[in-house]
Amino acid sequence: MEKYYWLPVYGICGECNEPGIGYKWCQPCNAKRFKDNFKNWTSGNKIVDEFIQQSQLNAVHYKKCLEWIPFEKFQNITYITEGGFDCKYALKSLKNSSKISSDFLNEIKSYLQIYLVDIIQCYGITQDPNTREYMMVLEYCDSGNLRNYLNISEDYIDYGKKVDQLKQIARGLLDIHNAGKVHKDFHSGNILFIGEPYISDLGMCQPANKKQTVKEEGIYGVLPFIAPEVLRGHQYTKAADIYSFGIMMNEFLSEEIPFNDIPHDEFLAIKICKGLRPKISEDIPKLLADLMIKCRDAEIKNRPATKELYQLLNKWNSEAYDGKCEIYFQTKECDKIGEKKFYNRSNESKSKSIQIHPQAIYTSRLLNVKNLPKPVNSTDLLSIQINSANPISECLDVQLSELELNEIYQDKGSNIE
């Protein structure tokens, strides 16, 4: 890895006597060192070299500059789908990146353009000498994604800690939105843990004001996490990320996988538009349950803004252990129930809780869903979700008959907006 010029503290650089920019970072001095070092390395590709050089010359923080990292520096690489991992770094390749696809460079640009406190860091670029595909060198998360983090935990994770971690995830989403972008593929598989949570996979991330519609691009993602208006082909907005946050939040708090026992097909997409949401457990504190309901509202205008979401979670985080606050009483009461359930769970019941329907797909993909009904909230369904102790498969009382489906398709002209 490159050696940077570090300031002793915030303040004046001891070499150039100019104020530092960012944490212990002198931009002019580091830019000069990087430029002097350009002659000592090359990726073998002019486009990649210039891309890395510009990141180094313009970096205002040590997390904002990339490096060319020769592949032979990595050891004990194990390939998992399209990523390779060793003990320190994750290598992510994109298909056809040997030809320097725009998608590959655009994803790296997203990592550079977003403030990186709660976003996985991208260290640089390398190239597999066998496939010739370029790879992003990313921070490695030893606890895996959110679902894996919950599954491997040997201790009960109390609501105070979960509120703190949700606050951090919300702060990362706020960073993305403050950069003028939307994530577009926000789900539990893209929340990674290294003790603390980080948002990953910015491959779909793009400007929030982009006018191209989902209809033109296709609908891409994990079905349970996609906002109903996006399923209908409308513009992907920051509010769609908030909807996805609400679904992720429920999975995190309930430790139940959304819609795990039913197929993720067009019928589920229709039910989501008609108001179906993952069940909210009665063991979840009411303040948090109410926030989830707002995030998952069918009406975009009823969902909280990202700043409001972060500020509310930040407030509850500061009050979670304050015996005078409502969030304290609610979380402590629910922790008593949750902790007892956690430690009473047998291995058999735990294995049953993570069984997944063979057609329930939690990897991002292009979805072929068309002519869906206008999104609505279902009051009856919300009541069932909050109060029922039954699993979601037992409260799917919005079954659609063939006649109803035919009516939906016949009315597509008047329903699609």
Side-chain angles (χ1 to χ4, degrees):
M1 296 292 182
E2 294 283 356
K3 294 185 181 297
Y4 308 130
Y5 182 75
W6 297 94
L7 294 175
V9 291
Y10 280 103
I12 303 299
C13 173
E15 182 167 317
C16 67
N17 294 319
E18 293 294 329
I21 301 174
Y23 179 67
K24 297 184 179 182
W25 184 260
C26 180
Q27 195 272 337
C29 290
N30 277 307
K32 181 178 183 301
R33 283 173 172 76
F34 281 130
K35 189 172 183 179
D36 290 343
N37 194 47
F38 286 171
K39 63 181 180 295
N40 297 325
W41 64 268
T42 180
S43 69
N45 183 289
K46 183 179 179 182
I47 296 175
V48 173
D49 285 356
E50 290 180 350
F51 183 79
I52 293 174
Q53 288 168 5
Q54 285 303 308
S55 79
Q56 294 178 347
L57 293 175
N58 298 325
V60 295
H61 190 275
Y62 76 95
K63 289 189 175 183
K64 294 290 187 179
C65 58
L66 302 173
E67 299 178 43
W68 172 253
I69 306 171
F71 196 77
E72 57 267 21
K73 285 193 174 183
F74 299 101
Q75 299 177 356
N76 303 322
I77 296 174
T78 301
Y79 288 91
I80 305 174
T81 62
E82 293 180 5
F85 299 87
D86 68 11
C87 62
K88 293 184 179 179
Y89 305 103
L91 305 181
K92 177 182 178 180
S93 67
L94 297 183
K95 293 178 180 178
N96 301 319
S97 63
S98 59
K99 301 177 181 178
I100 314 299
S101 69
S102 59
D103 288 342
F104 182 81
L105 293 183
N106 284 338
E107 178 163 4
I108 300 177
K109 287 178 183 177
S110 294
Y111 281 92
L112 297 179
Q113 293 168 348
I114 298 169
Y115 187 61
L116 287 169
V117 170
D118 302 291
I119 309 293
I120 287 296
Q121 183 178 355
C122 179
Y123 295 102
I125 304 174
T126 190
Q127 185 181 35
D128 188 320
N130 297 318
T131 66
R132 307 304 299 168
E133 290 198 343
Y134 289 91
M135 296 178 169
M136 298 166 58
V137 181
L138 300 168
E139 195 170 5
Y140 175 62
C141 299
D142 54 5
S143 295
N145 62 29
L146 183 148
R147 194 167 303 150
N148 187 65
Y149 168 74
L150 295 173
N151 288 339
I152 66 175
S153 177
E154 297 181 355
D155 297 311
Y156 174 70
I157 307 171
D158 64 50
Y159 280 105
K161 184 171 183 179
K162 285 186 175 180
V163 168
D164 179 41
Q165 292 173 329
L166 284 169
K167 176 207 71 176
Q168 294 176 61
I169 299 170
R171 184 173 60 194
L173 189 59
L174 180 61
D175 291 340
I176 292 173
H177 291 176
N178 282 343
K181 295 179 177 292
V182 287
H183 190 285
K184 290 193 65 180
D185 193 22
F186 192 92
H187 58 82
S188 57
N190 284 336
I191 306 299
L192 305 181
F193 281 79
I194 322 172
E196 304 299 336
Y198 293 86
I199 298 175
S200 71
D201 200 351
L202 305 183
M204 293 288 291
C205 198
Q206 63 180 226
N209 59 1
K210 185 178 179 182
K211 296 302 182 184
Q212 189 174 15
T213 66
V214 176
K215 288 181 181 178
E216 295 169 327
E217 299 175 330
I219 300 169
Y220 183 87
V222 178
L223 180 54
F225 294 85
I226 301 176
E229 72 274 8
V230 175
L231 290 174
R232 295 188 73 233
H234 285 205
Q235 177 78 16
Y236 202 108
T237 64
K238 294 177 182 179
D241 278 342
I242 295 296
Y243 177 93
S244 303
F245 184 96
I247 303 296
M248 177 280 301
M249 182 179 176
N250 191 28
E251 179 175 353
F252 193 18
L253 296 179
S254 69
E255 303 193 14
E256 295 289 339
I257 303 171
F259 304 135
N260 67 300
D261 55 357
I262 56 177
H264 293 180
D265 54 16
E266 188 169 6
F267 292 98
L268 176 57
I270 292 171
K271 291 171 186 174
I272 289 171
C273 288
K274 290 176 73 71
L276 180 65
R277 301 290 185 269
K279 177 178 70 72
I280 296 177
S281 170
E282 59 186 358
D283 300 336
I284 293 177
K286 186 178 184 302
L287 286 171
L288 297 174
D290 289 344
L291 178 59
M292 281 190 285
I293 291 172
K294 285 188 66 177
C295 289
R296 308 184 318 179
D297 200 291
E299 291 285 345
I300 293 177
K301 63 182 180 181
N302 293 336
R303 298 173 199 162
T306 321
K307 185 177 181 179
E308 178 189 353
L309 175 69
Y310 167 69
Q311 289 177 335
L312 191 54
L313 287 167
N314 189 44
K315 175 179 180 290
W316 288 341
N317 179 55
S318 65
E319 297 174 347
Y321 299 100
D322 185 342
K324 299 178 181 179
C325 298
E326 181 61 27
I327 189 68
Y328 170 84
F329 293 109
Q330 290 190 15
T331 55
K332 289 305 172 187
E333 191 63 30
C334 291
D335 275 332
K336 292 178 184 177
I337 302 171
E339 189 170 11
K340 184 177 180 180
K341 283 185 176 180
F342 180 87
Y343 290 112
N344 286 342
R345 254 185 339 189
S346 66
N347 290 331
E348 181 182 0
S349 63
K350 186 173 182 179
S351 64
K352 285 183 179 179
S353 68
I354 60 173
Q355 288 180 350
I356 297 176
H357 191 284
Q359 295 178 45
I361 302 170
Y362 293 95
T363 54
S364 300
R365 58 184 173 132
L366 279 172
L367 299 169
N368 183 23
V369 288
K370 299 178 181 178
N371 306 325
L372 300 178
K374 183 178 179 180
V376 296
N377 290 317
S378 174
T379 304
D380 292 339
L381 191 59
L382 286 174
S383 175
I384 292 171
Q385 291 166 349
I386 295 172
N387 297 322
S388 173
N390 296 326
I392 190 67
S393 60
E394 296 179 17
C395 66
L396 292 178
D397 55 356
V398 287
Q399 300 295 329
L400 301 175
S401 65
E402 291 186 13
L403 178 60
E404 288 177 305
L405 290 175
N406 288 335
E407 288 176 351
I408 288 172
Y409 293 132
Q410 291 171 1
D411 293 342
K412 65 182 180 180
S414 58
N415 278 337
I416 301 296
E417 295 180 346

